[in-house]
Amino acid sequence: MDFKDQIAQLASRVEKMLPQIQTEEATKNALVMPFIQIMGYDVFNPFEVNPEFIADLGIKKGEKVDYAIIKDGDPAILIECKHHLENLDPHNSQLFRYFHTTKAKFGLLTNGIVYRFYTDLVEKNKMDSTPFFEFRITEIKEAELAELKKFHKSYFDVDNITNTASELKYLNELKTLLHKEIADPSESFVTFFTKQVYPNMITAKVKEQFAPIIKRSFNQLISDAINERLKSALNQEKQIDVAESIKIEEGGGAETASGIVTTEEEIEAFFIVKSILREVLEPKRIIYRDALSYFAILLDDNNRKTICRLYLNTKKYLVILDDNKKEIKHEIQSIDDLYGFADILKEVIVKLELPKK
């Protein structure tokens, strides 16, 4: 199971377990420790994960942070945990106090659902008051998974994370600001955009009229951009690979005579997969073969190199074959959901391209 699947599995478990988790200690055991384990660290090895890590604060001795991730003998990440029902906002000051007494470069404040990562972007060796990276594990997005993976033991590099932390912090703050303004435009936001299109004096009444127009404009713009991107990707693949498509369909004539019907939806799904994998592979190496029960997408037209199978009947599934050729099913609502499995599909290609021992 890859990193993305492990996080998704934990997220689904979190929602089911919350009613049974009554204490902060239970939050740590049921939610936070499994998360640390997924990040590649051995929670039972104090040389990797040191629980109740002592961070003396001047004359206050014996102050403890819940966990410290240890790297090369020194704390690299300090983790402070709260009950899953607690709001994290009042608690960053506690982590702030621990931060400057250790060599740790990152602080993590969490209630097992929300995860906030801090560092010292503003003033060296002094933890910032706002996180540079934050996510909800039950709603984690593709881009957030990519950032989170940098903290995995296998990829953890202080310089790499620090170099992108500042950009990530302001990117997230701007996204939050834009999201808020689009949902409920402020007066200054409305004034700025109204000035760009309205030639007369901007009165309170004019701003009141333009506020819903601006909100609707942004929502429509976002919707149009998403639809256009999907349509563009499909059209581009169809234009580039039309000759290959004809060749493939001709090659499937014998199967069609056996009662196999290749649907338009299956062809579109095929082009989506090619669009995803063109970043790591020549598109001409990706071929499909239709069968009675499923639609197969292969590497090099080789049955032993199955990239994936698609079941697109009443219930739709993307299927990946494990090392023993056993099917691992991922339910999808529509073929557009295939874009969400880009990492998994690329990992299949990596495995298929590995030299045989």
Side-chain angles (χ1 to χ4, degrees):
M1 187 180 297
D2 68 7
F3 179 71
K4 180 180 178 179
D5 288 338
Q6 288 179 306
I7 291 293
Q9 187 180 69
L10 176 60
S12 64
R13 288 178 53 216
V14 165
E15 294 179 323
K16 294 173 184 175
M17 290 189 294
L18 288 182
Q20 302 299 318
I21 301 173
Q22 305 298 327
T23 66
E24 183 177 303
E25 195 63 30
T27 299
K28 288 193 283 188
N29 291 337
L31 306 183
V32 181
M33 285 179 67
F35 171 79
I36 296 172
Q37 193 85 37
I38 290 172
M39 297 303 294
Y41 302 98
D42 185 354
V43 294
F44 303 108
N45 181 357
F47 292 103
E48 276 193 20
V49 181
N50 195 325
E52 298 292 304
F53 182 77
I54 296 175
D56 290 333
L57 303 173
I59 60 173
K60 292 186 71 175
K61 302 295 183 182
E63 288 288 304
K64 297 175 181 177
V65 66
D66 289 312
Y67 302 101
I69 304 295
I70 308 298
K71 183 175 174 62
D72 299 327
D74 291 315
I77 308 172
L78 300 180
I79 304 175
E80 183 66 18
C81 307
K82 298 301 171 187
H83 190 281
H84 69 87
L85 292 177
E86 284 198 51
N87 183 343
L88 294 179
D89 291 340
H91 296 294
N92 64 346
S93 58
Q94 189 175 5
L95 189 59
F96 178 91
R97 295 199 307 272
Y98 299 143
F99 188 86
H100 79 276
T101 66
T102 72
K103 294 182 179 180
K105 188 63 178 177
F106 303 103
L108 171 57
L109 178 62
T110 182
N111 59 9
I113 301 172
V114 176
Y115 288 78
R116 294 178 178 176
F117 288 82
Y118 298 81
T119 190
D120 55 352
L121 295 173
V122 177
E123 187 176 338
K124 193 172 177 61
N125 298 324
K126 185 177 180 181
M127 193 184 88
D128 299 335
S129 59
T130 57
F132 69 90
F133 175 43
E134 177 178 349
F135 67 90
R136 294 180 68 88
I137 196 159
T138 52
E139 302 170 12
I140 192 163
K141 301 175 179 64
E142 197 77 28
E144 293 170 337
L145 271 170
E147 294 299 330
L148 178 60
K149 199 169 185 177
K150 293 178 183 178
F151 288 91
H152 191 281
K153 181 183 175 182
S154 301
Y155 308 101
F156 185 79
D157 182 278
V158 171
D159 292 335
N160 181 39
I161 299 173
T162 304
N163 289 339
T164 58
S166 180
E167 180 182 336
L168 184 62
K169 175 184 176 182
Y170 294 119
L171 175 68
N172 289 330
E173 288 179 358
L174 284 169
K175 282 168 59 180
T176 301
L177 176 62
L178 287 171
H179 185 274
K180 181 180 177 182
E181 291 286 6
I182 291 169
D184 185 19
S186 66
E187 184 177 351
S188 58
F189 192 81
V190 171
T191 301
F192 175 80
F193 284 100
T194 304
K195 280 182 178 179
Q196 315 305 313
V197 296
Y198 189 73
N200 301 322
M201 183 180 292
I202 300 173
T203 63
K205 185 176 181 180
V206 170
K207 285 187 276 190
E208 185 179 346
Q209 291 173 337
F210 266 85
I213 297 174
I214 291 171
K215 179 178 178 179
R216 195 161 63 248
S217 297
F218 270 96
N219 287 332
Q220 188 172 328
L221 178 67
I222 292 168
S223 178
D224 289 348
I226 292 171
N227 290 332
E228 188 61 33
R229 185 173 179 182
L230 291 173
K231 187 168 71 173
S232 175
L234 289 174
N235 287 340
Q236 184 181 30
E237 285 301 322
K238 287 176 182 177
Q239 291 169 6
I240 293 173
D241 301 310
V242 64
E244 293 176 34
S245 177
I246 293 170
K247 179 182 176 182
I248 293 165
E249 289 176 4
E250 287 174 349
E255 291 186 329
T256 303
S258 301
I260 296 168
V261 177
T262 301
T263 66
E264 183 177 338
E265 186 179 38
E266 288 172 333
I267 294 297
E268 287 195 11
F270 171 67
F271 282 118
I272 288 175
V273 172
K274 290 191 78 170
S275 177
I276 290 168
L277 296 179
R278 68 181 300 122
E279 298 177 16
V280 296
L281 200 66
E282 284 186 275
K284 66 181 181 182
R285 296 182 62 194
I286 304 171
I287 306 296
Y288 78 70
R289 289 190 194 175
D290 206 353
L292 281 171
S293 58
Y294 59 80
F295 181 83
I297 299 178
L298 311 174
L299 180 62
D300 299 330
D301 202 10
N302 188 332
N303 271 329
R304 294 190 296 275
K305 294 184 178 181
T306 299
I307 298 172
C308 65
R309 291 175 181 171
L310 296 171
Y311 293 82
L312 300 177
N313 297 318
T314 307
K315 275 198 171 183
K316 303 181 190 298
Y317 295 96
L318 166 70
V319 169
I320 304 296
L321 302 184
D322 66 14
D323 293 338
N324 298 315
K325 303 301 180 183
K326 182 180 178 182
E327 290 191 339
I328 302 172
K329 289 188 175 182
H330 303 276
E331 186 171 356
I332 57 176
Q333 301 304 312
S334 74
I335 58 174
D336 289 339
D337 292 346
L338 292 172
Y339 286 104
F341 294 90
D343 288 345
I344 292 177
L345 290 167
K346 289 174 185 176
E347 286 179 8
V348 171
I349 296 300
V350 171
K351 290 180 181 178
L352 292 176
E353 292 283 77
L354 287 174
K356 299 297 182 183
K357 296 182 179 179

